[in-house]
Amino acid sequence: MRSESIPGAGRLIPRLSLAFLMLAQAAVVIPHGAHLSWWIILVGLVCAAWRWMVFQGRWDFPSRLIKAVLVVMAFVGVLLDGKGAFSLETATALLIIAFALKLVEMRTRRDAYLVIFMCYFVIATEFLFDQSIAIAAYELMAVIIVTAAMVGLNQMHARIRPLVSLRTAAVIVLQAAPLMLVLFLFFPRLAPLWSVPLPGGAQTGMTDRVAPGDIEALTRSDAIAFRANFDGAIPPPRALYWRGLVYSRFDGGVWTAGGQRAVAQPDSGATPLGADADSALHYEVLLEPTQSVWLFALETASPASAGVTLTQDHRLVADEPVRGLYRYRAVTYPGLVTDAELSPGLRQRETQLPDAANPRSRQFALALASRSVSPRAYLAELLEHIRREQYHYTLNPPRLTTADDIDEFWFDTKSGFCSHYAGAFVYLARVAGLPARMVGGYLGGEVNPVTGHLVVRQYDAHAWAEVWIEGEGWVRYDPTAAVAPERIERGLDAALSEPDRATLAAFTNLRLDGATIADLLHWFESIEHRWNVWVVGYDSDRQFQYLRDLLGDVSPVRVGMVMLGGGAVSLALVALSLFWRRRPVAGHPTERMMRAFSSALARHGLTRAPSESPRAYIERVALWLDKSPGQVAPLVESVEGLLYNPDSPNQDAAARRRVAQGLRRLKLEAALRNRG
């Protein structure tokens, strides 16, 4: 392979610095592995292996032709992998590819500095995908490693010490922390000058299509769906029905959420007509990414945050898909009547059923409706039928194999999860001519005892029914309460059998069991929650509220003064730490005695040379006093024992007193001789 011109030795990267720099590159790229294609990771490993062989002196750097071919192939590969669409994932893939390819041509200090600057940029891009406290802690470590690599580049070739570089880098990062905090708290949250599509990723949690078995699959996950902070006391679990989706269309055993256009957002703080403001529940939700626009709130909720609207079926939706932690406030008015009047179009929508399906269920519903005196009585009979016929609540129901899945569940298997019961209940209500729909969301949640906030996980996913009744509007019916009332009152754990419990995740069982490790899990989760509230969720609204509490009237002048003052204080702290490290440090007690002895005799013309040892100086003083070296030998041995031999038995106060007496005697003799 043809070798390019080799730069001078002064411009080359020291070998240990190169190894440190490659370690820094690996540390920076590792978090991106979760959203990179396998072939990009393979290219990075190949480039690292090639550069390692060059480091070992076994291979040569690639020629310009090979580098050009690699660049073109990587670029085409990224475009094909992204199917030509511009996204954050595509842009990040190009950056990582360029980062990897730079390995095989990095040979000078200029190349190394370029790689270091790219390292910092790659670290920043990871926060576009994940802003958890774990990633923040990891990236802080990565920043220290990259900074240490830069420190190592400025060390002498023969004195490269990785641990010293790491310590220096940690000190530099620590010194920057106060200024970083000032900028984070007070620098205005400005809109970006440009934007890129945020990461898509897979949809998590509830979906807009539900078939029997879909919701129970979520119970296998203990991932957090969202957290909620209530302004007052948290309602009991049976009142925590978190609405997210309304399923109105039924076809082929699948319930589908129909698109409902948003209505005008109510004025913030305005109480809906007919609502009781005194009983209202005010709360804040921190929703994990879902890649969808729907939000979760308690029933009869109204939005209390910008960018959140209310739909015609009384759900909350965001203006944009939730691709990061999303923070919003809502107000719920218990007992509020919704849709007291039902439009003909909505009535038709909520009563539609496919033709010629589930004949046994149709016959059962029509016969029961003919004997019922009112819609309420009919629905009560459905719930009583579930109680009387020994239905079973389970995470592992038999698979429904026929097109008449409602018939199969209602009359044959009689085992299912919440979606089985809610779907069958809505179907039977519609057969009787009652407008009904299935609602998907979450039920209950777990109160974190450390911070007092509510944690709702994927295994809290639930489905229930809503039926429209003349004069009452939409009324919630939860058929799960008829087959497993403990699920409503006490949570999922109370309703599960031992075989069902065995199918849950290990951490889910630990949380549900209330084991000792659960306290530790609560503590870790509380830290993550505080991080979300005070760091990830520190948006322009919260910043304005904080500045208003701090400054009163928020004005550019006051904000600027606070930023200047905070910056000055942070820089003063850095300066103080630098001067503190350079402060005079008290030496060994014997050294202090020798300095005082030397200063005293210097007045008599016996100045001690910088390179003169204590033995040589004391013996020279003795000769000047007409003494032999043997006469001061005990003093010299005591001084050397105290200075150089920490294991000497003479390392005590008595030995130091003897040395002090001996040095004072010599100073006195020198003073007397000088006077004489």
Side-chain angles (χ1 to χ4, degrees):
M1 185 179 297
R2 185 177 60 84
S3 176
E4 299 178 14
S5 59
I6 300 176
R11 295 170 54 201
L12 291 176
I13 305 172
R15 291 176 62 85
L16 288 178
S17 294
L18 179 61
F20 208 164
L21 188 56
M22 293 178 67
L23 173 64
Q25 282 187 281
V28 166
V29 174
I30 284 175
H32 287 274
H35 45 79
L36 291 177
S37 298
W38 64 269
W39 70 269
I40 296 179
I41 299 175
L42 181 61
V43 169
L45 292 175
V46 170
C47 291
W50 192 324
R51 190 60 182 85
W52 182 255
M53 296 302 289
V54 173
F55 176 77
Q56 295 289 324
R58 300 179 182 180
W59 291 3
D60 197 0
F61 288 96
S63 64
R64 293 181 179 177
L65 177 61
I66 293 179
K67 289 190 290 186
V69 171
L70 289 175
V71 169
V72 172
M73 291 177 60
F75 184 76
V76 173
V78 170
L79 291 182
L80 295 177
D81 192 45
K83 300 179 177 57
F86 177 71
S87 64
L88 182 61
E89 289 88 345
T90 303
T92 304
L94 284 172
L95 177 64
I96 299 299
I97 282 291
F99 197 46
L101 293 178
K102 188 64 181 176
L103 269 173
V104 296
E105 71 163 4
M106 182 174 60
R107 62 172 69 189
T108 66
R109 290 178 179 270
R110 177 184 178 279
D111 296 329
Y113 284 118
L114 179 60
V115 169
I116 287 172
F117 297 149
M118 291 180 68
C119 282
Y120 289 123
F121 193 78
V122 173
I123 288 173
T125 59
E126 175 59 23
F127 289 106
L128 298 174
F129 296 90
D130 190 346
Q131 299 176 356
S132 66
I133 191 171
I135 283 295
Y138 179 89
E139 296 298 359
L140 177 62
M141 179 195 70
V143 166
I144 293 176
I145 293 176
V146 173
T147 306
M150 181 167 58
V151 172
L153 281 174
N154 293 277
Q155 292 177 341
M156 295 178 62
H157 286 227
R159 299 187 59 189
I160 295 174
R161 295 174 291 175
L163 293 180
V164 174
S165 299
L166 281 172
R167 185 170 63 249
T168 303
V171 170
I172 292 173
V173 173
L174 183 63
Q175 290 172 343
L179 183 59
M180 176 194 68
L181 182 62
V182 170
L183 294 176
F184 175 79
L185 290 175
F186 302 113
F187 196 82
R189 294 303 199 259
L190 302 176
L193 299 178
W194 66 88
S195 62
V196 297
L198 292 176
Q203 181 171 309
T204 59
M206 305 294 297
T207 63
D208 56 0
R209 290 171 56 86
V210 171
D214 288 348
I215 291 183
E216 51 263 41
L218 291 178
T219 61
R220 307 299 194 271
S221 171
D222 63 351
I224 293 177
F226 58 89
R227 299 175 175 90
N229 291 314
F230 284 82
D231 291 355
I234 299 177
R238 63 178 178 274
L240 296 175
Y241 279 85
W242 299 94
R243 296 175 88 251
L245 288 158
V246 172
Y247 302 97
S248 298
R249 297 192 181 98
F250 179 74
D251 188 23
V254 177
W255 290 92
T256 306
Q260 288 277 351
R261 70 176 184 271
V263 298
Q265 180 175 342
D267 295 335
S268 177
T271 303
L273 184 65
D276 182 8
D278 294 335
S279 62
L281 300 173
H282 298 260
Y283 51 93
E284 181 183 58
V285 177
L286 287 86
L287 180 64
E288 295 294 323
T290 62
Q291 318 304 328
S292 304
V293 296
W294 52 76
L295 308 177
F296 296 93
L298 298 178
E299 295 172 315
T300 63
S302 293
S305 294
V308 180
T309 53
L310 187 68
T311 64
Q312 287 183 322
D313 52 6
H314 309 287
R315 296 178 296 111
L316 299 187
V317 295
D319 292 344
E320 299 289 340
V322 179
R323 295 192 174 95
L325 185 75
Y326 191 75
R327 187 173 185 169
Y328 58 96
R329 290 190 62 85
V331 184
T332 289
Y333 301 93
L336 179 66
V337 176
T338 55
D339 291 345
E341 299 283 339
L342 200 63
S343 66
L346 190 56
R347 179 183 293 273
Q348 180 182 5
R349 173 193 177 93
E350 305 299 358
T351 55
Q352 66 86 24
L353 286 173
D355 298 332
N358 302 296
R360 288 187 290 170
S361 297
R362 289 175 180 269
Q363 183 179 1
F364 169 84
L366 293 174
L368 183 61
S370 66
R371 301 193 301 269
S372 301
V373 297
S374 67
R376 281 280 193 181
Y378 172 72
L379 298 172
E381 282 295 326
L382 288 180
L383 297 177
E384 184 60 31
H385 177 83
I386 295 174
R387 299 187 189 97
R388 186 175 58 248
E389 294 297 322
Q390 299 297 313
Y391 284 81
H392 300 286
Y393 181 80
T394 177
L395 294 178
N396 300 286
R399 183 177 179 83
L400 303 178
T401 58
T402 66
D404 299 327
D405 56 324
I406 301 294
D407 282 355
E408 189 176 359
F409 163 70
W410 194 253
F411 296 102
D412 301 331
T413 65
K414 296 185 178 181
S415 295
F417 197 55
C418 57
S419 57
H420 293 76
Y421 291 96
F425 190 88
V426 172
Y427 186 91
L428 294 171
R430 289 188 176 188
V431 171
L434 299 176
R437 58 198 185 189
M438 187 168 73
V439 181
Y442 298 87
L443 173 60
E446 177 187 24
V447 178
N448 187 299
V450 180
T451 56
H453 69 280
L454 188 75
V455 183
V456 180
R457 299 182 181 272
Q458 296 297 346
Y459 58 65
D460 293 313
H462 192 57
W464 59 95
E466 288 181 346
V467 183
W468 188 85
I469 298 177
E470 187 76 33
E472 299 182 50
W474 290 103
V475 179
R476 183 210 326 138
Y477 279 86
D478 192 349
T480 300
V483 65
E486 57 274 14
R487 166 67 179 99
I488 311 303
E489 296 292 335
R490 291 183 289 156
L492 179 67
D493 177 46
L496 297 182
S497 63
E498 287 302 321
D500 285 339
R501 289 285 300 273
T503 64
L504 299 178
F507 278 108
T508 301
N509 279 307
L510 289 174
R511 290 188 179 92
L512 296 178
D513 286 337
T516 304
I517 195 174
D519 295 334
L520 184 61
L521 295 176
H522 285 145
W523 185 76
F524 279 115
E525 195 278 324
S526 69
I527 294 177
E528 186 74 27
H529 176 64
R530 290 189 177 102
W531 173 263
N532 289 336
V533 169
W534 296 106
V535 180
V536 180
Y538 189 74
D539 53 14
S540 56
D541 293 337
R542 180 166 285 271
Q543 184 187 50
F544 180 80
Q545 180 181 354
Y546 175 74
L547 292 176
R548 186 177 56 189
D549 295 340
L550 180 67
L551 304 176
D553 182 23
V554 179
S555 64
V557 174
R558 291 192 176 187
V559 173
M561 292 296 294
V562 170
M563 289 184 61
L564 288 175
V569 170
S570 62
L571 293 178
L573 291 175
V574 174
L576 181 63
S577 67
L578 293 176
F579 282 115
W580 178 257
R581 292 173 59 189
R582 288 165 174 77
R583 73 190 187 283
V585 179
H588 192 279
T590 307
E591 289 182 355
R592 294 199 299 271
M593 286 189 289
M594 284 298 302
R595 284 199 296 270
F597 176 69
S598 303
S599 299
L601 292 185
R603 292 193 292 269
H604 305 301
L606 295 172
T607 304
R608 182 182 175 186
S611 60
E612 196 170 15
S613 67
R615 171 184 288 272
Y617 183 65
I618 293 174
E619 290 179 349
R620 182 160 67 89
V621 171
L623 291 175
W624 183 74
L625 294 172
D626 298 327
K627 293 178 178 288
S628 66
Q631 290 178 280
V632 293
L635 175 62
V636 170
E637 291 176 0
S638 297
V639 170
E640 290 182 337
L642 289 173
L643 287 176
Y644 309 127
N645 187 7
D647 298 327
S648 171
N650 295 326
Q651 291 282 356
D652 55 18
R656 288 194 293 272
R657 283 196 298 270
R658 288 194 297 271
V659 168
Q661 291 172 358
L663 294 177
R664 280 199 300 270
R665 189 179 298 112
L666 290 178
K667 286 192 293 182
L668 179 59
E669 292 180 8
L672 292 175
R673 173 170 178 169
N674 203 35
R675 288 180 181 178

